[in-house]
Amino acid sequence: MKVGVFVCHCGSNIEATVDTAAVAAAAREFPGVVFATDTMYTCSEPGQDEIVNAIKEHNLGGIVVASCTPRMHEQTFRRTVERAGLNKYLFEMANIREHVSWIGKDREANTNKSVDLVRMATEKLLRNRPLYSKKFDINKRVLVIGGGVAGIQAALDCADGGLEVVMVEKTSTIGGKMAKLDKTFPTVDCSSCILGPRMVDVAQHPNITLYAYSEIEEINGYVGNFEIKVKKKATYVNWDSCTGCGICMEKCPSKKATDYFNEGIGKTTAINIPFPQAIPKKAKIDPDFCTKLTKGKCGVCAKVCPSGCIDYEMQDEFVTEKVGAIVTATGYDLFDWSVYGEYGAGRYPDVITGLQYERMLSASGPTGGHIKRPSDGKEPKNIVFIQCVGSRDKSVGRPYCTGFCCMYTAKQAILTKDHLPDSQSYVFYMDIRAVGKLYDEFTRRAMEEYDTKYIRGRVSMIYPKGEKLLVRGADTLMGSQVEVDADLVVLAVGAEASAGASELAEKLRISYDSYGFYMEGHPKLKPVETNTAGVYLAGACQGPKDIPSSVAQGSAAAAKVLGLFSKDQLESDPQVSIVDIKRCIGCGKCIQTCPFGAIKEMEFRGMVKADVIETICQGCGICTSTCPQGAIQLQHSTDNQILSEVNALCQF
Amino acid sequence: MPVLTGKELRIVGFLCNWCSYGGADTAGIGRFNQPTDLRIIKVPCSGRIDPLFVVKALMNGADGVLVSGCHPRDCHYAEGNFYARRRLEIMHNFLPIIGYEPERFEYTWVSASEGQRWQQVVTSFTEQIHKLGPAPKILGPEASDTLSLMQAAL
């Protein structure tokens, strides 16, 4: 094989710390290399044309590009060599940017290392064989995990595009965090008026199947053909006949159940419908508080239910759904702010979170839209908002900015003035981050038109003083200490990955960062894809996001799914294992170790042999390192190819 | 071009495509400085690594071998890293028998987001190898016999 080598400058990204011309010169001496050059931007159009021309001019049989990581441009260059008439697997990349030029400044060592990496790639390339894809059928249904605003958007867009959608929601209603909000910034329009109709659309859309109060138990399969096991948690109410009339809620004697929807402001009944606009509007029993389930006494709801749908014996149920793609929209949860001792660590009832305040402002909330101190029910006069609680704070392990708290605090300050014209709001902030259309104008309005006092500084201490709370902090612009007698303190608590996000990631086989947020395929070019084919991200599960961004990403994920399903068949990755029938002794070890059941026994002239089902094989190569005979080889990562790389490195 | 004499030792890394190779990329994107000794070979999964790859690298002249995969329970292929852990753990115990300090080999788990952790892993492993110095080169007829036996096994 005649090999061509292209060493990329990547502008100054590589050239600054690697002598690319020297790397190209060294490459010319390698066995098989007939052409080597350094180029400014190999991935640009002239750069790619140079590769195509060199293949034609020098009759090259394979190409090595030394540039960035293959995760970035392997696909790009595979298409380039294909354009020149070569098989796309007659191409190798040497990663001399992320693994060399960006991690050290020693030009001599970097150049030397780059030469090694190019030699390795060349040796591997010399053992590459052309590979050809197979086509396989796909199941054009999509699973959406999470029924918040991002999931709703993705589900509706997919359903409107003609796809069958399965939506799985953990709680007993869809709507997510947005359903809990009173108003939205910067338009101050009613949250449930925007979201409510979309939730109804989900319930009524003929293409959407909704599993509320359900969780993902198991995910098997691969892009185009996933098999999902959904756990429908026991609601103790037969949802087929429940009409959502709410009589059970009126009569239930157990009125001290935790109200999760209202963020613990107020209590609810053991059998409950979370809020009036819930979708599906069905009751469920909280087994921790139901006296029939805990003590065996009561049964009032069963007596009053007009449609007889209470079933105290109900068990969790499992259903299996087959889909071709998955959109993950599991959202976020609030940081546990009780680590902050200076804010009382949860000891003072009048220190609440922004989301609790939101429920208090909401007309359908537990206080009917009246702002009341949780401790004595009185109207507050001085209200202090504290920003960046569990955001931008290394000391509690949350160094990132949640991004939307500045805005919702400004909104809450405006709403406070609307509700209580005599009140005075104070906002302790670090910086105002109002990046977005009409956002900065909005925070300005809070300061100028609504007379909110913005104080740049942190709060060092909150402690009770009579009925009030004394908030002591610094004003770093004035260089002075500030003390405010507050009636109510609202903390802008930052977002973190939703509870159970990492367990779900393990089932989906996608990566997550140290805070539990899911990793996108590429921070810029693949913001909704993951590195697992057929799994897409929407909303705050990928990182904290406000409503417009979550909706945008929901639509983007739907567009990706619709694009994927625009073909009737997908091409399989040909980097799969094949069995050398002459060497296979039929021991069956590969069949036992394959995690996907992609290898089966077959009979060949009366002997047992292994046989790989190409469309199921995912190309992990566990079989290859298990086979005692070396008979089953993962193509494109054969023993010979990997050992040739080892030899290229260890020959001196 | 060999390693830079006096400056570098030869360290070979086998990294899984999905987690650790991505982690090394993340370290690069974050510009986390690292020693230059390590050369990375990408494999689809740590379960793809035949322990003999490691032995072969050492016998051919590597001074250290580092394997890294996805965290347990986080494998892109569900269970590949569990196979890797069993195989490599056994191989690790076997290294002194063929004349290598077990410290010349290490396996670890680094996810695609853990750029900083990757920097720490590379830095401390490289320091460890530099402390040990160059690996004993196995010379003589016994070595080539062993090598040919290994080649036959592969």
Side-chain angles (χ1 to χ4, degrees):
Chain A
M1 186 195 290
K2 289 180 174 177
V3 175
V5 176
F6 294 82
V7 188
C8 183
H9 292 200
C10 195
S12 64
N13 280 309
I14 294 170
E15 180 56 30
T17 55
V18 175
D19 186 348
T20 50
V23 176
R28 275 183 213 113
E29 308 302 317
F30 297 161
V33 176
V34 297
F35 177 83
T37 183
D38 55 304
T39 55
M40 191 63 175
Y41 289 107
T42 318
C43 57
S44 68
E45 204 184 345
Q48 293 189 39
D49 288 345
E50 210 179 325
I51 297 178
V52 174
N53 293 338
I55 291 174
K56 290 187 176 147
E57 198 179 315
H58 301 275
N59 198 18
L60 302 175
I63 295 294
V64 171
V65 172
S67 58
C68 48
T69 166
R71 290 161 83 100
M72 180 94 184
H73 275 320
E74 192 168 51
Q75 295 302 332
T76 315
F77 292 125
R78 278 184 177 166
R79 279 197 296 270
T80 311
V81 298
E82 220 170 19
R83 198 145 54 87
L86 291 183
N87 183 278
K88 63 179 175 180
Y89 293 95
L90 298 174
F91 166 76
E92 283 298 325
M93 258 180 120
N95 183 350
I96 61 167
R97 193 177 76 173
E98 279 83 351
H99 290 186
V100 181
S101 74
W102 276 355
I103 57 168
K105 296 218 164 22
D106 183 340
R107 199 171 158 92
E108 188 196 7
N110 281 355
T111 306
N112 185 56
K113 182 173 174 183
S114 302
V115 172
D116 261 2
L117 296 185
V118 172
R119 190 202 335 266
M120 222 170 80
T122 311
E123 287 295 324
K124 161 110 199 293
L125 176 66
L126 289 172
R127 286 156 186 82
N128 281 6
R129 296 282 166 269
L131 302 175
Y132 302 95
S133 304
K134 285 244 165 77
K135 303 239 170 168
F136 65 93
D137 291 325
I138 53 174
N139 186 342
K140 292 189 182 184
R141 301 178 82 217
V142 55
L143 168 74
V144 177
I145 307 174
V149 67
I152 289 174
Q153 185 74 18
L156 287 174
D157 282 4
C158 286
D160 287 342
L163 302 180
E164 270 185 56
V165 180
V166 178
M167 181 184 263
V168 174
E169 163 61 40
K170 180 161 70 171
T171 64
S172 68
T173 173
I174 59 169
K177 293 283 183 294
M178 187 176 169
K180 300 185 179 190
L181 307 183
D182 176 37
K183 303 251 166 34
T184 58
F185 59 80
T187 45
V188 203
D189 46 358
C190 152
S191 179
S192 60
C193 313
I194 313 170
L195 185 67
R198 306 289 283 166
M199 290 164 61
V200 176
D201 287 349
V202 169
Q204 293 181 345
H205 205 295
N207 285 352
I208 301 180
T209 313
L210 173 63
Y211 292 106
Y213 209 51
S214 300
E215 284 183 48
I216 303 293
E217 183 72 12
E218 217 176 283
I219 298 174
N220 287 309
Y222 50 95
V223 59
N225 294 284
F226 289 107
E227 201 177 290
I228 320 287
K229 199 170 160 194
V230 180
K231 178 166 97 174
K232 291 168 78 177
K233 294 182 279 187
T235 56
Y236 306 100
V237 177
N238 184 353
W239 278 12
D240 291 333
S241 47
C242 176
T243 59
C245 66
I247 293 175
C248 52
M249 266 181 92
E250 283 171 27
K251 303 287 181 199
C252 178
S254 170
K255 297 190 190 302
K256 294 244 167 86
T258 313
D259 193 345
Y260 296 101
F261 183 77
N262 284 321
E263 294 285 317
I265 294 253
K267 296 281 177 194
T268 186
T269 45
I271 185 165
N272 64 67
I273 300 170
F275 63 107
Q277 299 87 358
I279 298 282
K281 198 175 179 192
K282 310 279 180 190
K284 63 138 210 313
I285 294 179
D286 187 338
D288 297 338
F289 294 95
C290 174
T291 45
K292 178 76 181 174
L293 290 171
T294 50
K295 297 185 188 125
K297 281 184 253 170
C298 185
V300 169
C301 48
K303 279 179 213 137
V304 298
C305 178
S307 24
C309 33
I310 311 294
D311 173 8
Y312 298 113
E313 308 294 319
M314 193 184 263
Q315 299 290 324
D316 292 350
E317 200 187 313
F318 293 93
V319 283
T320 306
E321 287 284 352
K322 290 188 172 166
V323 298
I326 301 174
V327 176
T328 315
T330 49
Y332 69 94
D333 270 321
L334 290 189
F335 174 75
D336 175 18
W337 67 275
S338 64
V339 298
Y340 283 98
E342 60 267 43
Y343 305 149
R347 274 176 295 139
Y348 310 135
D350 294 334
V351 179
I352 61 173
T353 68
L355 211 48
Q356 287 175 324
Y357 195 58
E358 208 67 53
R359 290 314 300 149
M360 210 183 262
L361 290 168
S362 169
S364 63
T367 59
H370 297 292
I371 303 173
K372 288 177 183 169
R373 280 156 49 99
S375 60
D376 52 14
K378 284 187 191 153
E379 262 185 14
K381 192 168 176 310
N382 286 342
I383 297 155
V384 171
F385 295 90
I386 303 176
Q387 304 259 265
C388 303
V389 179
S391 287
R392 303 180 66 195
D393 191 348
K394 265 191 189 169
S395 66
V396 296
R398 291 291 178 275
Y400 57 86
C401 172
T402 295
F404 50 73
C405 320
C406 288
M407 293 306 297
Y408 79 63
T409 299
K411 174 195 72 184
Q412 288 172 349
I414 288 176
L415 291 175
T416 306
K417 199 76 173 175
D418 283 342
H419 281 250
L420 307 169
D422 293 333
S423 67
Q424 175 62 55
S425 298
Y426 299 84
V427 177
F428 283 89
Y429 71 99
M430 281 160 69
D431 298 288
I432 300 295
R433 297 196 162 172
V435 279
K437 201 173 174 182
L438 295 176
Y439 282 15
D440 202 58
E441 293 92 321
F442 185 74
T443 51
R444 287 264 150 223
R445 267 177 64 203
M447 291 175 216
E448 289 157 11
E449 286 174 37
Y450 289 84
D451 194 29
T452 308
K453 292 217 164 31
Y454 269 72
I455 303 164
R456 189 181 186 280
R458 299 293 289 163
V459 169
S460 59
M461 187 79 168
I462 299 175
Y463 57 92
K465 187 182 155 194
E467 278 188 356
K468 293 184 174 245
L469 293 163
L470 188 77
V471 180
R472 180 180 287 164
D475 186 334
T476 53
L477 294 180
M478 298 294 286
S480 62
Q481 276 208 354
V482 190
E483 278 187 4
V484 182
D485 281 339
D487 299 293
L488 186 64
V489 177
V490 181
L491 307 177
V493 180
E496 63 179 16
S498 62
S502 46
E503 287 81 357
L504 182 65
E506 284 161 13
K507 290 174 190 158
L508 286 164
R509 300 198 301 271
I510 59 175
S511 316
Y512 52 94
D513 65 17
S514 45
Y515 312 109
F517 292 116
Y518 298 151
M519 289 273 290
E520 61 281 355
H522 186 276
K524 293 190 181 61
L525 300 176
K526 289 183 177 176
V528 295
E529 291 103 318
T530 62
N531 280 324
T532 302
V535 179
Y536 302 94
L537 304 176
C541 63
Q542 181 253 346
K545 269 181 206 64
D546 61 5
I547 294 165
S549 312
S550 296
V551 171
Q553 209 183 9
S555 281
K560 283 285 166 194
V561 174
L562 288 162
L564 179 77
F565 288 170
S566 65
K567 303 173 203 104
D568 289 323
Q569 288 189 312
L570 290 182
E571 285 196 347
S572 67
D573 188 337
Q575 299 175 70
V576 294
S577 292
I578 49 165
V579 181
D580 180 350
I581 235 154
K582 294 194 291 293
R583 298 182 97 178
C584 177
I585 53 167
C587 67
K589 284 189 174 128
C590 52
I591 300 172
Q592 286 168 21
T593 50
C594 178
F596 305 99
I599 311 172
K600 60 178 192 320
E601 269 183 15
M602 67 153 184
E603 211 170 275
F604 179 76
R605 292 182 188 161
M607 288 174 292
V608 177
K609 302 280 177 187
D611 187 31
V612 177
I613 311 161
E614 279 182 42
T615 49
I616 299 182
C617 177
Q618 299 293 294
C620 62
I622 296 173
C623 53
T624 310
S625 40
T626 306
C627 180
Q629 292 291 306
I632 189 163
Q633 288 289 330
L634 174 62
Q635 300 186 83
H636 217 60
S637 294
T638 62
D639 284 339
N640 280 342
Q641 284 170 327
I642 295 175
L643 286 174
S644 73
E645 292 182 84
V646 173
N647 287 341
L649 290 180
C650 303
Q651 57 181 315
F652 295 102
Chain B
M1 223 177 286
V3 285
L4 296 175
T5 332
K7 221 169 172 183
E8 279 181 352
L9 289 172
R10 184 160 304 286
I11 303 175
V12 178
F14 292 97
L15 269 64
C16 86
N17 178 39
W18 302 97
C19 295
S20 296
Y21 196 87
D25 282 352
T26 307
I29 292 164
R31 311 292 198 277
F32 299 142
N33 272 337
Q34 294 154 45
T36 52
D37 309 45
L38 176 75
R39 312 285 191 257
I40 293 169
I41 296 176
K42 186 172 81 169
V43 289
C45 175
S46 53
R48 170 67 188 90
I49 298 164
D50 192 319
L52 292 180
F53 293 166
V54 177
V55 176
K56 190 118 198 224
L58 287 169
M59 296 191 77
N60 279 16
D63 301 307
V65 178
L66 179 64
V67 167
S68 185
C70 306
H71 285 280
R73 293 170 52 79
D74 218 9
C75 174
H76 184 78
Y77 300 108
E79 51 201 39
N81 49 5
F82 292 136
Y83 286 107
R85 186 163 67 183
R86 284 188 149 194
R87 289 169 182 158
L88 296 171
E89 191 54 47
I90 290 172
M91 194 274 302
H92 207 174
N93 296 329
F94 177 70
L95 282 183
I97 300 171
I98 56 170
Y100 292 105
E101 299 94 330
E103 295 79 24
R104 293 200 182 274
F105 168 72
E106 210 166 270
Y107 63 89
T108 181
W109 319 121
V110 175
S111 86
S113 65
E114 293 175 326
Q116 213 132 23
R117 183 172 143 74
W118 177 249
Q119 180 192 31
Q120 285 160 8
V121 165
V122 174
T123 311
S124 68
F125 186 70
T126 308
E127 274 171 17
Q128 186 174 317
I129 297 302
H130 275 264
K131 239 176 242 164
L132 290 169
K137 302 285 177 269
I138 300 178
L139 298 167
E142 297 92 336
S144 61
D145 284 351
T146 325
L147 197 61
S148 52
L149 274 176
M150 302 236 160
Q151 260 156 352
L154 279 170

